């Protein structure tokens, strides 16, 4: 008896690198030019926008000041209050012993499924309120009620700090949320679209997206960026510490990207926002020195593969500066990226086709008795 050969299929594309899997009007990432366009606007042109304005742009193509954009802001405030009022003690108790991102996963998964057109605003409100509530609960503090009249960024900060914060901090968080709101077909957004394509519903789609986001190769990197800065500790150790990490085959968090072959434009947007805030933690000069040395050693070791600073490096600095603990960074990332996830789920649902690629079988075939 002989084993027949498996049928020949074209070679697979590990990591789906360079595969174009969706048409979208939402964002374009040009990794060679280092350009991010969000629905017709260069990232740099969005400086000074509030997160609500970006939501209105992504969801409805409204510009700041359009009555429709104002209405989205009002609905978002009302939804934050609704989410807060329906926080159940049983659900909060269920997060005991979980990491912040696992707690957020549990809380998002508890929301009943619907379609993106109906409840996208609830999803965005929920991500912000839950991230703030989880932050408070981990410190053993009660969760203050949101203020529907405040901006989303100012309200999240007021919730984590237990009272209103300086406008500069709210502006910095707005800059962060706007900068990370959407970014092409990254792993978590793709996950959201795959789940939406099965018609599973909005909250299943964004909960799945969060699961993809939490890994260190995607949205789990900024906490470890601060760990790295702390582990290096002082100026004199930078070069040796980085060399030893790379020698051991470790990846430096906050560097490298699947698409960008130049500096991630979001890194500069966040660095500018941090500069405006006045660098309250005093880490910027040290971090910049680490960045310069990391880029020098990466270029030396990998002349064939340009590895540049990505968004997560300055994410760590800006989120720490506005008052988040490092283990909450991924949840704040999710609060911003929820804008993109919900917009992509809407886009997918509007012109849906089940996403179902093929695999190439490379295992043995059953023996056929006739041979
Ligand atoms: N430090 C050291 N070496 C690196 C780094 C890094 N940060 N990034 C990539 N490399 C090396 C890899 O080891 C690999 O080497 P090899 O060819 O000898 O195996 C080579 O460069 C190419 O890397 P890939 O893994 O093929 O690149 P990919 O496109 O798959 O990865 C990724 C992109 C996952 C972001 C990677 O650069 C990385 O792990 N960076 C560190 C984690 C990080 O910063 N994550 C946040 C990403 S931004 C975001 O998702 C919002």
């Amino acid at each position: 008896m002989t084993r027949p050969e498996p049928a020949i299929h074209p070679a697979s594309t590990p990591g789906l690198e360079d595969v174009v899997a969706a048409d979208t009007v939402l964002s374009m990432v040009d990794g060679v030019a280092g350009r991010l366009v969000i629905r017709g606007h260069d990232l740099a042109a969005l400086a000074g926008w509030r997160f609500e304005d970006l939501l209105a742009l992504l969801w409805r193509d409204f510009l700041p000041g359009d009555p429709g954009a104002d209405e989205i802001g009002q609905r978002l405030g009302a939804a934050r209050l609704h989410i807060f009022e329906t926080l159940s003690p049983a659900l909060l108790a269920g997060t005991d012993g979980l990491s912040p991102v696992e707690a957020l996963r549990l809380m998002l998964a508890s929301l009943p499924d619907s379609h993106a057109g109906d409840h996208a605003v609830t999803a965005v409100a929920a991500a912000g309120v839950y991230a703030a509530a989880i932050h408070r609960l981990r410190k053993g503090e009660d969760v203050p009620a949101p203020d529907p009249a405040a901006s989303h960024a100012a309200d999240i900060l007021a919730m984590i700090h237990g009272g209103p914060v300086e406008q500069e901090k709210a502006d910095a968080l707005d800059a962060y949320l706007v900068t990370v709101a959407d970014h092409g077909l990254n792993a978590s957004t793709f996950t959201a679209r795959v789940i939406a394509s099965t018609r599973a519903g909005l909250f299943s789609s964004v909960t799945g997206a969060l699961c993809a986001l939490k890994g260190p190769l995607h949205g789990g990197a900024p906490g470890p960026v601060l760990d790295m800065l702390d582990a290096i500790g002082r100026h004199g150790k930078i070069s040796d510490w980085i060399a030893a990490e790379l020698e051991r085959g470790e990846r430096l968090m906050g560097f490298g990207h699947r698409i960008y072959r130049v500096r991630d434009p979001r890194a500069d947007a966040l660095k500018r926002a941090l500069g405006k805030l006045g660098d309250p933690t005093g880490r910027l000069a040290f971090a910049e020195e680490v960045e310069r040395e990391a880029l020098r050693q990466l270029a030396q070791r990998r002349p064939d593969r340009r590895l540049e600073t990505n968004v997560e490096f300055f994410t760590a600095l800006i989120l720490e500066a506005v008052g988040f603990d490092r283990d909450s960074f991924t949840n704040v990332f999710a609060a911003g990226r929820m804008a993109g996830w919900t917009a992509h789920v809407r886009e997918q649902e509007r012109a849906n086709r089940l996403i179902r690629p093929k695999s190439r079988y490379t295992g043995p075939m059953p023996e056929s008795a006739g041979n």
Side-chain angles (χ1 to χ4, degrees), residues 225 227-248 252 255 282-298 300-301 313:
V225 167
D227 296 341
M228 171 176 77
L229 296 180
D230 285 348
I232 297 173
R234 58 186 170 81
H235 289 270
K237 273 180 64 185
I238 296 175
S239 177
D240 288 350
W241 192 93
I242 290 174
E245 281 298 284
L246 293 176
E247 200 51 48
R248 277 206 307 274
L252 301 178
F255 297 91
R283 278 195 194 263
L284 186 55
F286 180 66
E288 282 178 319
E289 204 182 326
V290 170
E291 183 193 13
R292 270 193 299 276
E293 181 59 17
L295 292 176
R296 193 188 67 76
Q297 293 197 28
L298 286 168
Q300 216 169 40
R301 282 177 180 263
F313 192 79

Side-chain angles (χ1 to χ4, degrees), residues 45-117:
L46 302 177
W49 281 40
R50 288 189 326 161
F51 178 65
E52 288 83 341
D53 294 330
L54 200 83
L55 268 186
L57 177 72
L58 276 175
W59 287 351
R60 303 289 301 277
D61 207 12
F62 289 145
L63 290 174
D66 282 352
D70 292 342
E71 195 208 318
I72 286 176
Q74 286 156 16
R75 283 176 47 218
L76 183 60
R80 281 195 305 275
L81 191 58
H82 172 72
I83 286 287
F84 170 79
E85 286 171 349
T86 51
L87 270 177
S88 88
L91 182 62
L92 295 178
T95 65
D96 219 25
L98 300 181
S99 71
V101 70
E102 289 164 343
L104 182 61
R105 186 180 63 190
L106 177 77
M107 294 171 87
L108 283 180
S110 75
L111 294 167
D113 260 321
S114 60
H115 292 285

Side-chain angles (χ1 to χ4, degrees), residues 17 180 183 186-187 213 215-222 225 246 249-259 261 264 266 298 302 304-305 307-308 310-313 333 337:
E17 204 152 348
V180 302
H183 199 239
N186 57 85
L213 185 79
L217 301 192
H218 189 10
V225 167
L246 293 176
E250 297 291 341
R251 291 180 178 215
L252 301 178
M253 292 292 128
F255 297 91
H257 198 273
R258 172 61 63 82
I259 307 283
R261 290 295 165 267
D264 183 334
R266 298 170 300 172
L298 286 168
R302 298 302 308 249
D304 58 315
R305 163 97 190 187
L307 294 166
E308 281 285 346
N310 66 44
V311 65
E312 302 290 39
F313 192 79
F333 190 172
R337 186 54 60 83

Side-chain angles (χ1 to χ4, degrees), residues 17-368:
E17 204 152 348
D18 296 327
V19 172
V20 178
D23 286 344
T24 181
V25 298
L26 299 171
S27 60
M28 182 200 78
V29 183
D30 181 338
V32 176
R35 186 173 189 200
L36 169 60
V37 174
I38 308 271
R39 208 160 184 168
H41 302 258
D42 267 309
L43 177 64
L46 302 177
W49 281 40
R50 288 189 326 161
F51 178 65
E52 288 83 341
D53 294 330
L54 200 83
L55 268 186
L57 177 72
L58 276 175
W59 287 351
R60 303 289 301 277
D61 207 12
F62 289 145
L63 290 174
D66 282 352
D70 292 342
E71 195 208 318
I72 286 176
Q74 286 156 16
R75 283 176 47 218
L76 183 60
R80 281 195 305 275
L81 191 58
H82 172 72
I83 286 287
F84 170 79
E85 286 171 349
T86 51
L87 270 177
S88 88
L91 182 62
L92 295 178
T95 65
D96 219 25
L98 300 181
S99 71
V101 70
E102 289 164 343
L104 182 61
R105 186 180 63 190
L106 177 77
M107 294 171 87
L108 283 180
S110 75
L111 294 167
D113 260 321
S114 60
H115 292 285
D118 310 327
H119 285 295
V121 77
T122 309
V124 174
V129 171
Y130 290 164
I134 293 164
H135 183 99
R136 295 282 294 185
L137 289 172
R138 283 176 69 80
K139 290 176 171 301
E141 294 163 340
D142 59 355
V143 183
D147 171 7
S151 76
H152 195 61
D155 210 17
I156 292 174
L157 286 180
M159 287 183 77
I160 70 153
H161 289 292
V165 296
E166 304 90 297
Q167 187 58 42
E168 295 73 34
K169 286 195 173 156
D171 291 345
L173 184 59
D174 256 326
Y176 171 74
L177 296 173
V178 165
T179 299
V180 302
D182 197 41
H183 199 239
L185 215 51
N186 57 85
S188 56
T189 301
F190 182 54
T191 304
R193 287 191 81 129
V194 170
I195 298 173
S197 85
T198 71
R199 297 195 186 151
L202 176 65
F203 290 107
S204 292
S205 304
V206 298
T207 304
L210 177 71
C211 296
L213 185 79
K214 91 188 249 297
L217 301 192
H218 189 10
V225 167
L226 280 195
D227 296 341
M228 171 176 77
L229 296 180
D230 285 348
I232 297 173
R234 58 186 170 81
H235 289 270
K237 273 180 64 185
I238 296 175
S239 177
D240 288 350
W241 192 93
I242 290 174
E245 281 298 284
L246 293 176
E247 200 51 48
R248 277 206 307 274
E250 297 291 341
R251 291 180 178 215
L252 301 178
M253 292 292 128
F255 297 91
H257 198 273
R258 172 61 63 82
I259 307 283
Y260 291 118
R261 290 295 165 267
V262 293
R263 195 177 164 84
D264 183 334
R266 298 170 300 172
D268 285 327
L270 295 185
K271 192 169 158 179
R272 280 193 293 273
L274 187 65
K276 275 193 190 160
L277 193 55
D279 184 26
T281 60
R283 278 195 194 263
L284 186 55
F286 180 66
E288 282 178 319
E289 204 182 326
V290 170
E291 183 193 13
R292 270 193 299 276
E293 181 59 17
L295 292 176
R296 193 188 67 76
Q297 293 197 28
L298 286 168
Q300 216 169 40
R301 282 177 180 263
R302 298 302 308 249
D304 58 315
R305 163 97 190 187
R306 195 156 162 202
L307 294 166
E308 281 285 346
T309 315
N310 66 44
V311 65
E312 302 290 39
F313 192 79
F314 289 102
T315 288
L317 302 185
I318 201 163
L319 293 186
E320 184 187 45
V322 297
F324 287 99
D325 293 338
R326 68 189 72 185
D327 61 2
S328 286
F329 290 172
T330 305
N331 285 357
V332 190
F333 190 172
R337 186 54 60 83
M338 191 59 86
W341 292 339
T342 50
H344 278 268
V345 170
R346 277 179 178 215
E347 199 179 48
Q348 182 68 38
E349 286 182 343
R350 280 207 194 109
N352 190 45
R353 175 136 181 95
L354 175 71
I355 299 175
R356 203 300 184 194
K358 284 182 182 171
S359 52
R360 185 165 70 118
Y361 179 67
T362 59
M365 292 299 282
E367 291 173 349
S368 48

